[in-house]
Amino acid sequence: MDSDVRKAVEISGPLRALEVYDHHVASGGDAWETHLELFPVAQRVLNPPFINPHLPKMYNICREFLPYLELEDIPGLVRLEVSEYARRVKLDEIPKNSLPDSFVYFGDIESAIGERNWPKTATFMVAFHHQHGGQEFARRLLLLGSGYLDRSLGHSISCTAFILLEMLERKDLDPWPIFAGLADYFCKGRFGKTPELVKEPALDSDGDLREHILRATSGRGILNLHHPITLYAIERIRFLFDEIQYNHLITQWIQFMGDKSAERTEYPSSGEDPTIDYASFYERFSELETMPIVQWAAGMMRPSEDRTRLGRFLIKAVCDQYRGHYNPHNLTGLGSTLWIMENWWDHPEITLPALYQFVDYFFSEIRPERA
């Protein structure tokens, strides 16, 4: 295990952390193993002045990029992670308390959140997880978060979902950093009361869902980007819920978008050869013009190997544009866009607006006038 990189991320600035990481990779170290080892510190990375755990969410979404990448691409992605985690403040560590001897109900967690007692909340979370299992803990915490989408801009579901996915996937590790981080977040947000489940059907057909996804992918800027990110999170943790609970989450998401209308814009293919190499793609990407990228990508949605190559190019380009400071939505928004392209590839009226929304947002973040 490459503990030197983790220690540098924990206690050093980004320059020292990158120096240690680069030496590790140059010496033949496995970059993805470094990513995996960063688990405990990544859960504590903060993004003030926002209370939302953007970086722990980003940490899990980086795992979602792996199917698109080749082995040679991984060091660049992890290097970006090392830099981002190292340059940011970290949540103070709290020691583990002894677990209560009595049976712990989820209401005990809600009460501790209401008291804004971070250590007590974390301890009850651990006990509930121990007594009821990881999936039940995740299900109950997400239902709790579903009542606060407006207040949290969707993060009470979207951040929580991906952090909990990491907990469920990393059964080999002590999940304490996740409980501590989520307890801090829910106490800061005062997310302390699970809403009543919405029973009325939110959707009558897949066509209804397509219309709402089109609404989600409409509009520009960071606020609108949160709409598809939130749906992405709901769909990734759908396996935890029965139909009534899933309907409730979708209804909360629809209400979160308010009266936003769907935009219907045509994005015709440029007709250019979709098999260009990465260097040619990156040259075009570096011009920071959204429409040419979307029009070229319009020819890349089928077959699946084209979508995979498109996903790889986008991930690599986002990493290669890194100059030492990123809004974490540059990666989480890319995650939701790739998810939409993979699951709705035969609906260009959805996939192309989704791609336009993300690329336009990303370019607006990195243009020189924002430096």
Side-chain angles (χ1 to χ4, degrees), residues 27-66:
S27 302
D30 187 313
W32 191 249
E33 284 298 319
T34 298
H35 163 88
L36 295 175
E37 191 190 70
L38 291 173
F39 166 82
V41 65
Q43 305 310 312
R44 296 174 41 232
V45 180
L46 302 175
N47 188 31
F50 309 105
I51 68 168
N52 307 308
H54 293 122
L55 279 299
K57 170 169 66 175
M58 188 185 90
Y59 177 77
N60 180 263
I61 287 177
C62 284
R63 180 195 296 272
E64 309 246 311
F65 294 156
L66 278 184

Side-chain angles (χ1 to χ4, degrees), residues 280-293 321 359 363 366-368:
S280 300
F281 172 82
Y282 185 67
E283 181 179 3
R284 181 172 307 175
F285 192 86
S286 299
E287 295 173 358
L288 308 185
E289 295 294 334
T290 304
M291 186 60 80
I293 297 298
Q321 282 288 331
V359 173
F363 287 167
I366 67 170
R367 285 191 180 102

Side-chain angles (χ1 to χ4, degrees), residues 211-271:
E211 184 66 20
H212 289 299
I213 296 177
L214 183 56
R215 291 176 59 214
T217 57
S218 297
R220 307 291 171 256
I222 186 66
L223 297 181
N224 286 297
L225 190 68
H226 282 92
H227 296 151
I229 291 175
T230 305
L231 176 66
Y232 169 41
I234 291 171
E235 294 297 331
R236 285 292 287 111
I237 46 82
R238 182 175 181 174
F239 66 93
L240 294 171
F241 300 97
D242 62 28
E243 284 303 311
I244 292 176
Q245 294 161 350
Y246 172 71
N247 173 78
H248 165 80
L249 294 177
I250 290 294
T251 301
Q252 299 292 85
W253 169 67
I254 291 171
Q255 292 177 352
F256 166 48
M257 290 192 290
D259 59 359
K260 173 182 175 181
S261 60
E263 297 175 357
R264 304 182 189 280
T265 304
E266 295 292 329
Y267 300 94
S269 172
S270 64

Side-chain angles (χ1 to χ4, degrees), residues 294-309:
V294 176
Q295 289 182 314
W296 173 79
M300 293 283 286
M301 294 300 170
R302 62 176 84 192
S304 62
E305 55 264 29
D306 283 349
R307 294 197 303 278
T308 299
R309 188 164 78 257

Side-chain angles (χ1 to χ4, degrees), residues 3 30 71 119 138-139 151 195 223 242 273 301 308 319 339 356:
S3 59
D30 187 313
L71 188 62
R139 186 183 69 84
R151 184 191 300 183
L223 297 181
D242 62 28
D273 182 3
M301 294 300 170
T308 299
C319 290
W339 177 85
Y356 189 101

